[in-house]
Amino acid sequence: MRLDEIEAYYDTVPRAAATTEEVGPFTLFLAEEGTGWDFYARPRRGSEHEFTSEDVRRVLARQVELGRQRAIEWVDQVTPSLLPAVRAAGHQTGSYPLLALPRDAEVTAPERTRVLPFDDADLGLAVGAVHAAFAGEDDVAEQPVGKRRELIADGRLIEVAAYDADGTLVGGGSAAPRGETAELMGIGVPPAHRTAGVGTAITRALVRACREAGVRTVFLSAYNDAAASIYRRIGFVDVGTACILGVDDE
């Protein structure tokens, strides 16, 4: 998979629920009210600009002016000048393995998973399971679904839920197809269920649902190398490094 495919995807996918503003060499994505998401700034697609610390300070200041979360995301191999500029501006970043699944990789059908339609009663609970997972908690409570129902109905979002043998929802994840490309996002399993292969099952279910929707290229960024190893066992391969600056989380 070429990184320019990923760049094209990253520029396209937020636009389904956001407006944009150009701030110097950045495109700032501004989530529409009620979406339930926060977005970020990214290097303008196709730009060969050499980033400076002043570029970074300017876009972060604009996010503050607009009352938005201060955040920048990019692929290090595509925009190598941005990481030094971010550090020169006094900030640290998270770096995450970026992986893609070869188009000819076979993915077996998982058990006890379900692709949720837009009107499914479990959608809010699946969102809640992901929230609990990323908070390191086992208590799962239903969460607002934002624009998810609309995006699922339009074919721009896939949500998967996983269940244990008793039918209890124990994890979830999503994918956002755009043409022949989709990113897997927010795959989360609360701590009590993380040794039962639930995350792998969710990943396989998302891949199969994406392929059924006509997607040929599936990719994701892993939280750390331990998580990446799970995806590598499924067949994903490393293609780059995803960088995230979240100033308010530093």
Side-chain angles (χ1 to χ4, degrees):
M1 179 179 187
R2 297 179 303 175
L3 288 176
D4 58 355
E5 291 180 65
I6 292 180
E7 281 298 296
Y9 177 90
Y10 277 144
D11 184 72
T12 300
V13 70
R15 297 175 187 266
T19 58
T20 63
E21 179 179 319
E22 304 303 314
V23 182
F26 289 98
T27 298
L28 176 56
F29 295 95
L30 302 168
E32 297 171 357
E33 187 174 353
T35 62
W37 289 302
D38 287 315
F39 287 131
Y40 36 74
R42 293 192 65 85
R44 185 175 302 116
R45 184 185 171 200
S47 172
E48 297 182 359
H49 180 79
E50 289 292 318
F51 282 81
T52 68
S53 58
E54 182 55 34
D55 294 327
V56 174
R57 293 188 184 99
R58 185 187 314 158
V59 75
L60 294 178
R62 181 57 178 156
Q63 289 172 320
V64 171
E65 289 176 3
L66 295 171
R68 304 298 177 115
Q69 175 183 335
R70 294 179 292 172
I72 305 172
E73 298 189 7
W74 72 100
V75 177
D76 187 46
Q77 289 77 7
V78 175
T79 316
S81 66
L82 184 48
L83 182 56
V86 166
R87 289 174 173 166
H91 301 294
Q92 301 298 317
T93 68
S95 297
Y96 307 96
L98 188 64
L99 305 102
L101 186 68
R103 292 176 176 176
D104 60 354
E106 294 186 8
V107 177
T108 58
E111 297 181 353
R112 295 201 292 268
T113 61
R114 194 161 60 85
V115 178
L116 303 180
F118 77 95
D119 57 352
D120 197 284
D122 279 352
L123 184 57
L125 199 59
V127 175
V130 173
H131 276 260
F134 283 95
E137 300 172 353
D138 287 321
D139 293 333
V140 175
E142 189 169 334
Q143 294 289 328
V145 301
K147 290 190 68 173
R148 286 177 176 83
R149 296 194 191 280
E150 176 185 331
L151 293 171
I152 292 170
D154 289 344
R156 293 183 290 178
L157 185 69
I158 295 169
E159 292 277 354
V160 163
Y163 300 83
D164 66 12
D166 297 323
T168 300
L169 196 151
V170 294
S174 60
R178 297 294 184 275
E180 294 187 344
T181 306
E183 181 182 19
L184 308 190
M185 308 172 296
I187 298 171
V189 180
H193 303 282
R194 288 180 183 169
T195 60
V198 178
T200 298
I202 294 169
T203 304
R204 292 182 185 277
L206 286 168
V207 170
R208 289 179 67 88
C210 285
R211 287 179 169 175
E212 290 173 2
V215 170
R216 299 183 64 206
T217 300
V218 179
F219 75 99
L220 55 82
S221 57
Y223 180 71
N224 53 34
D225 201 62
S229 67
I230 297 172
Y231 303 123
R232 293 181 187 119
R233 288 197 294 271
I234 296 172
F236 283 82
V237 297
D238 292 74
V239 296
T241 304
C243 294
I244 299 177
L245 167 63
V247 176
D248 300 323
D249 297 329
E250 287 185 353

